[in-house]
Amino acid sequence: VLLAMQYQETLFSDLEGRKAAGKETAASCPFCNKAGHFSYSQERPVFQCWSCGEAGSWITYLQKREGLDTQEAIRRLAEAASIQEDGLDMAAYKARSRKASILEAAMEHFKKALSQPEGKPVYAYLLDRGYTEQDIKAMPVGAYVSRRKLQEALRRKEYAEQEIKDSGLLSIGEDWPLVMAWTDLSGLPSGLAARAIQDKEPKYRYSKGLEKAGTLLGLEKVRGRESVLLVEGLLDCLLLSARGLPIVALGGASLSREQVKALEVNRTKEVLLCLDSDKAGLAGTEKALSLLQESSLRAYVVSLPAG
């Protein structure tokens, strides 16, 4: 949230000689005063001095620069992000991070399976839908072909049986073999979205415990972008994101007030609505326009050509 707000420019605003250099900003080090040897990231909440070696997170920076203890530093950042302090639970954070690591390991396994003979049906499905081999390689999707093989792969990475069960990965199954990670506002995977490749209802299934409310797929990739394209389909989002467009997906036809708020916090200025042209998509577009008119966001509707 703070990165989307470009809070780094506030946190390091008093440093002399600030100069943008790609994804980093260089400045004079506040610890050793070496000019141009201190840098902070525009994409992650970290800093480093290449002269004196001071480095760490924004929490570390506040501790070292202002003498705050850990809780005081967290409180400072939480207030800047408009997060209530009583919502900060380190045990819950560590559990969420551990779950994210399991999901990342699973997606690595699924991505590998997609390029193997067992993943051929999923690969062929994507080709039939018009994706190129280059698109498929660039998109963060994979093939869920065997629950047993997934469990074996995760055990080899030393994840416990209870951790695997609690992750929700086993709640999907092989009937929805095309899988992708659903990420939270910080960009960490919080669950899986899986799609059937044959006629089946529901077409999508989500891993147990996944909470989609309040976020949008791909939001972490459009931090600070003023204009964002909003679509329904998860695959549409992953494809166009891989091709460089600033895009997010609902995973359905209904935009919520929480998602509008997430876009505002993201510093988005305008939303280009490109929902499906079926009955649900048209109704969703009208609802989205009503919500967006109550917000600080400008709304436009994309008209697609016939067919």
Side-chain angles (χ1 to χ4, degrees):
V1 171
L2 290 173
L3 283 166
M5 296 168 60
Q6 295 188 328
Y7 184 72
Q8 61 272 23
E9 303 306 334
T10 299
L11 183 62
F12 301 107
S13 62
D14 64 331
L15 300 186
E16 296 182 356
R18 288 192 298 157
K19 185 177 180 180
K23 297 178 181 179
E24 304 284 329
T25 297
S28 295
C29 179
F31 305 109
C32 69
N33 298 316
K34 192 76 171 181
H37 283 65
F38 182 94
S39 69
Y40 57 90
S41 173
Q42 295 291 337
E43 295 188 333
R44 297 185 299 134
V46 295
F47 73 94
Q48 181 168 359
C49 177
W50 304 99
S51 179
C52 66
E54 291 286 4
S57 69
W58 290 355
I59 294 173
T60 307
Y61 182 79
L62 289 170
Q63 290 173 317
K64 293 181 178 292
R65 185 80 192 280
E66 300 189 22
L68 305 182
D69 64 28
T70 302
Q71 285 301 318
E72 288 172 335
I74 290 174
R75 186 178 301 117
R76 173 81 63 83
L77 297 173
E79 289 174 353
S82 299
I83 296 173
Q84 296 298 318
E85 185 190 355
D86 58 9
L88 299 173
D89 183 334
M90 291 306 294
Y93 168 75
K94 289 178 180 178
R96 183 167 65 91
S97 297
R98 182 65 174 174
K99 179 180 178 179
S101 72
I102 296 177
L103 292 168
E104 287 172 344
M107 280 306 303
E108 182 181 336
H109 169 76
F110 297 142
K111 187 73 174 177
K112 184 177 180 181
L114 185 60
S115 62
Q116 297 177 340
E118 59 191 9
K120 189 175 180 179
V122 177
Y123 200 92
Y125 168 80
L126 291 169
L127 289 175
D128 287 343
R129 283 192 57 156
Y131 299 101
T132 67
E133 292 187 355
Q134 184 176 358
D135 289 332
I136 297 171
K137 184 177 180 180
M139 292 166 64
V141 296
Y144 193 139
V145 295
S146 169
R147 183 184 282 122
R148 176 182 58 80
K149 288 186 177 181
L150 170 62
Q151 290 174 286
E152 291 173 352
L154 294 175
R155 289 191 199 107
R156 288 195 294 270
K157 291 184 176 290
E158 300 184 350
Y159 289 109
E161 292 291 341
Q162 191 61 45
E163 286 183 302
I164 299 171
K165 182 179 178 181
D166 292 343
S167 71
L169 287 166
L170 306 183
S171 65
I172 296 177
E174 298 90 340
D175 288 342
W176 291 267
L178 174 56
V179 290
M180 59 214 80
W182 186 282
T183 51
D184 62 19
L185 289 174
S186 66
L188 291 175
S190 56
L192 290 185
R195 194 193 194 287
I197 60 174
Q198 297 177 340
D199 289 335
K200 184 178 182 66
E201 291 297 335
K203 289 190 293 185
Y204 278 93
R205 185 163 183 174
Y206 298 92
S207 59
K208 185 178 180 180
L210 172 61
E211 296 182 4
K212 298 189 298 175
T215 188
L216 297 141
L217 184 70
L219 189 61
E220 79 284 356
K221 294 183 181 297
V222 295
R223 285 191 180 116
R225 296 293 292 267
E226 289 196 2
S227 182
V228 172
L229 186 64
L230 177 66
V231 297
E232 288 186 39
L234 306 185
L235 288 172
D236 297 336
C237 178
L238 297 182
L239 171 66
L240 297 178
S241 178
R243 292 185 178 182
L245 286 178
I247 184 169
V248 294
L250 292 169
S254 183
L255 178 68
S256 69
R257 295 185 186 277
E258 292 78 14
Q259 289 168 328
V260 172
K261 178 64 176 177
L263 287 167
E264 289 180 314
V265 171
N266 190 59
R267 300 185 71 165
T268 300
K269 301 299 182 186
E270 63 181 30
V271 178
L272 311 180
L273 294 169
C274 190
L275 305 188
D276 293 354
S277 58
D278 56 15
K279 185 177 181 180
L282 294 173
T285 298
E286 290 188 6
K287 178 186 175 183
L289 286 171
S290 296
L291 288 176
L292 291 168
Q293 284 174 349
E294 299 171 1
S295 73
S296 63
L297 301 166
R298 297 189 301 271
Y300 300 89
V301 178
V302 177
S303 296
L304 297 176

